[in-house]
Amino acid sequence: MNSTLDGNQSSHPFCLLAFGYLETVNFCLLEVLIIVFLTVLIISGNIIVIFVFHCAPLLNHHTTSYFIQTMAYADLLVGVSCLVPSLSLLHYPLPVEESLTCQVFGFIVSVLKSVSMTSLACISIDRYIAITKPLTYNTLVTPWRLRLCIFLIWLYSTLVFLPSFFHWGKPGYHGDVFQWCAESWHTDPYFTLFIVMMLYAPAALIVCFTYFNIFRICQQHTKEISERQARFSNQSGETGEVQAFPDKRYAMVLFRITSVFYILWLPYIIYFLLESSTGHSNRSASFLTTWLAISNSFCNCVIYSLSNSVFQRGLKRLSGTMCTSCASQIIAKDAYTVRSKGSINGCHV
């Protein structure tokens, strides 16, 4: 396979998706379109999420907002780091040699996605404590402990993938848009097993255990309340509807985010395990599964904006502020053109 690639290397650049190469522009058109499109969506979407969290104080009442914002910052950094392969595919010169660039890029994206995965596990633990121990929750979960937990998340994620710099193997396929990563940097079954045992398996087990018990407890509470309301309505002759718990509604939003995360990451994890165990690789499969997983960095923004009413109010408030600012600028410019004197130094909102 390498011999055929070496023979064509001088005629056209290295492309993981060979059918996406276009001679008229002399770069991997399909790869560039996919990466640039996702990069723009990820950066813009997470910037909006971060601004909304700062503009909507009600969102910060939930302790999970610490982890949601951590995920937003991690996803934003994923989008920024994706500029590296985008510029490389467009033939911009790299500041350092290709081997080091792809290793660093692969390491950074792996750490950032590990932060998201670990944050989702911590969110599920937080909701589990909130529902199982509501009376002692505020003493168990404090802002200081949350900040310490977030620090440990970043430290743990870094340590898990740090051995990739010490010839343990490739941590993922994020850097495979670089030819050296795709051809010379290989996965190792032992390092893959290490990543699975230290990250993927514990995070998935924690999420399954906590959300299973959360919904089981909420279902029991709903059943008890409905029985009490039924007895009360029989005595008073009135009928009432069972209201859903706020904790259950919020848990459903977080469960959707977690479910979409693992759905998008499942093809990547399966391919990662198969290649590490069998040694057979497919460049198109590695590219598509990798960037499908990375697209989750944008999906979190969409799910939150569609599922959380407080977030929607914060988004409307942010958009209203921006529209007011734009309207003030237009009025100021109109006043300047009419009077044709003086200078307008800024907008007054």
Side-chain angles (χ1 to χ4, degrees):
M1 183 169 62
N2 292 344
S3 61
T4 59
L5 286 169
D6 293 336
N8 296 332
Q9 189 174 355
S10 58
S11 59
H12 61 77
F14 171 75
C15 297
L16 285 171
L17 302 176
F19 54 86
Y21 173 70
L22 195 62
E23 294 184 358
T24 55
V25 293
N26 196 31
F27 60 77
C28 309
L29 180 63
L30 188 56
E31 292 178 36
V32 170
L33 290 176
I34 292 174
I35 295 177
V36 171
F37 179 68
L38 287 177
T39 300
V40 172
L41 288 181
I42 291 169
I43 292 177
S44 58
N46 285 284
I47 287 177
I48 292 173
V49 169
I50 292 169
F51 272 114
V52 169
F53 267 97
H54 286 287
C55 293
L58 286 175
L59 285 170
N60 293 319
H61 289 179
H62 287 283
T63 53
T64 50
S65 65
Y66 285 83
F67 298 111
I68 296 291
Q69 291 182 71
T70 299
M71 291 172 58
Y73 280 109
D75 290 337
L76 176 61
L77 292 175
V78 169
V80 173
S81 63
C82 288
L83 294 172
V84 176
S86 302
L87 295 176
S88 172
L89 289 170
L90 292 172
H91 305 309
Y92 281 87
L94 298 173
V96 294
E97 62 180 4
E98 185 180 77
S99 60
L100 181 60
T101 301
C102 80
Q103 282 182 312
V104 172
F105 174 73
F107 169 77
I108 290 175
V109 177
S110 298
V111 169
L112 293 174
K113 299 315 296 179
S114 173
V115 168
S116 296
M117 188 176 294
T118 314
S119 296
L120 289 172
C122 290
I123 287 173
S124 66
I125 295 173
D126 174 81
R127 292 297 87 198
Y128 178 77
I129 296 173
I131 290 179
T132 57
K133 299 181 179 180
L135 299 179
T136 58
Y137 175 78
N138 290 329
T139 58
L140 292 174
V141 182
T142 61
W144 182 85
R145 289 179 178 175
L146 287 172
R147 294 187 186 98
L148 177 62
C149 184
I150 290 170
F151 170 76
L152 293 176
I153 286 173
W154 284 92
L155 179 63
Y156 183 78
S157 300
T158 303
L159 293 177
V160 167
F161 291 99
L162 194 61
S164 62
F165 286 108
F166 301 100
H167 307 291
W168 281 36
K170 183 162 61 174
Y173 309 102
H174 310 103
D176 277 11
V177 292
F178 303 100
Q179 188 169 5
W180 186 88
C181 265
E183 295 182 353
S184 303
W185 201 20
H186 305 290
T187 56
D188 182 88
Y190 296 106
F191 187 44
T192 301
L193 181 63
F194 172 79
I195 295 173
V196 170
M197 297 301 295
M198 298 299 291
L199 179 62
Y200 296 154
L205 289 174
I206 288 172
V207 166
C208 292
F209 172 80
T210 52
Y211 279 114
F212 173 78
N213 284 280
I214 285 171
F215 291 120
R216 181 179 58 83
I217 293 170
C218 288
Q219 188 175 11
Q220 289 177 353
H221 289 176
T222 305
K223 184 179 179 181
E224 291 173 0
I225 291 176
S226 62
E227 290 175 352
R228 291 176 185 175
Q229 287 186 346
R231 288 196 299 266
F232 177 78
S233 61
N234 290 332
Q235 294 174 0
S236 61
E238 297 178 356
T239 58
E241 295 181 357
V242 179
Q243 299 295 326
F245 288 104
D247 284 338
K248 184 179 180 181
R249 289 197 299 266
Y250 195 60
M252 281 299 300
V253 175
L254 300 174
F255 180 72
R256 291 189 193 106
I257 294 175
T258 306
S259 300
V260 171
F261 181 91
Y262 280 98
I263 288 171
L264 294 177
W265 272 86
L266 188 60
Y268 171 85
I269 294 173
I270 292 174
Y271 178 79
F272 188 38
L273 294 174
L274 288 176
E275 188 194 318
S276 300
S277 58
T278 62
H280 298 290
S281 61
N282 183 287
R283 290 177 177 175
S284 297
S286 67
F287 178 86
L288 294 175
T289 55
T290 297
W291 291 94
L292 177 66
I294 289 178
S295 69
N296 173 258
S297 297
F298 171 72
C299 292
N300 291 337
C301 314
V302 177
I303 296 170
Y304 223 77
S305 61
L306 294 178
S307 303
N308 192 297
S309 58
V310 179
F311 185 89
Q312 291 171 1
R313 291 197 295 270
L315 185 60
K316 290 179 181 178
R317 179 181 174 184
L318 177 63
S319 60
T321 303
M322 294 177 63
C323 291
T324 303
S325 177
C326 293
S328 300
Q329 289 181 354
I330 293 173
I331 293 172
K333 288 181 180 179
D334 290 342
Y336 176 79
T337 55
V338 171
R339 290 190 301 240
S340 297
K341 61 181 180 179
S343 61
I344 300 174
N345 295 323
C347 297
H348 301 283
V349 181

